[in-house]
Amino acid sequence: MDKSKVPVEQRAALSLLLDDHRSVKKLFKAFEDAKDDAAKQSIASETCQQLTIHAQIEEEIFYPALRGASDKIDGMLDEATVEHGVAKDLIAKIESGNSKMLEANYTVLAEYVGHHVEEEENELFPAVIRAKVDLTEVAQQLEARKAELTGQPA
Ligand SMILES: [Fe+2]
Ligand SMILES: [Fe+2]
């Protein structure tokens, strides 16, 4: 999704989420390229942290802001919430530190999240733009909450 084509009312919020998606995809790639177990372990834990925070700000702020915009959007949000649940189970498995299963768990997580991200970017975000949901304040809330959860200034 091309950020410059997103209308200004949605641009900041969607850009923040798109940046998160890019960042996680880079980690998926880095994991594939990693040479040893220690590198894989550290990339995996960074991935889990980023995904946990991303899912949390979507669930606390982004998805609720979209609720009721249309029946179609509500349906997508229900699905997205279920998908977050599945991703969280995989994250918990990875974080529990069974190193024998790391490769398998991580690979499934990457495929699964890849699919979820595609749906958000190709279906949910365009629907939000079409519905003209004003996300100006939501962008600020997402930014502030993310900064709080990452322990970094916005
Ligand atoms: Fe999501
Ligand atoms: Fe997302």
Side-chain angles (χ1 to χ4, degrees):
M1 171 167 252
D2 184 349
K3 286 183 209 168
S4 66
K5 295 195 178 111
V6 177
V8 69
E9 299 78 35
Q10 289 100 27
R11 192 178 301 148
L14 297 187
S15 291
L16 182 148
L17 299 173
L18 288 165
D19 287 345
D20 280 359
H21 292 170
R22 302 285 166 277
S23 172
V24 164
K25 281 185 182 171
K26 265 190 207 155
L27 290 169
F28 293 160
K29 180 81 179 63
F31 187 92
E32 271 179 34
D33 298 340
K35 298 278 177 283
D36 56 78
D37 288 353
K40 286 187 184 194
Q41 197 58 251
S42 112
I43 294 163
S45 85
E46 175 66 23
T47 307
C48 291
Q49 263 170 32
Q50 287 193 19
L51 281 176
T52 300
I53 291 172
H54 180 77
Q56 194 172 343
I57 63 172
E58 284 188 338
E59 286 170 25
E60 283 182 8
I61 298 161
F62 184 59
Y63 294 171
L66 307 178
R67 274 285 165 201
S70 73
D71 286 350
K72 200 175 164 218
I73 288 177
D74 279 347
M76 289 185 215
L77 296 175
D78 291 343
E79 235 183 85
T81 305
V82 174
E83 289 175 357
H84 279 197
V86 176
K88 280 179 203 166
D89 288 346
L90 286 164
I91 288 169
K93 282 195 181 120
I94 290 167
E95 286 184 328
S96 77
N98 180 348
S99 55
K100 266 173 77 183
M101 290 302 284
L102 176 65
E103 188 91 39
N105 284 327
Y106 192 92
T107 303
V108 175
L109 179 73
E111 283 169 4
Y112 195 80
V113 168
H115 157 85
H116 174 75
V117 160
E118 294 304 306
E119 284 194 341
E120 285 190 340
E121 295 189 13
N122 299 334
E123 294 172 34
L124 179 63
F125 293 2
V128 168
I129 292 169
R130 279 196 301 275
K132 297 190 167 62
V133 185
D134 189 340
L135 297 174
T136 320
E137 270 175 43
V138 169
Q140 289 163 8
Q141 292 165 6
L142 287 168
E143 223 169 283
R145 187 69 177 124
K146 188 181 166 185
E148 196 172 60
L149 292 168
T150 47
Q152 275 158 19

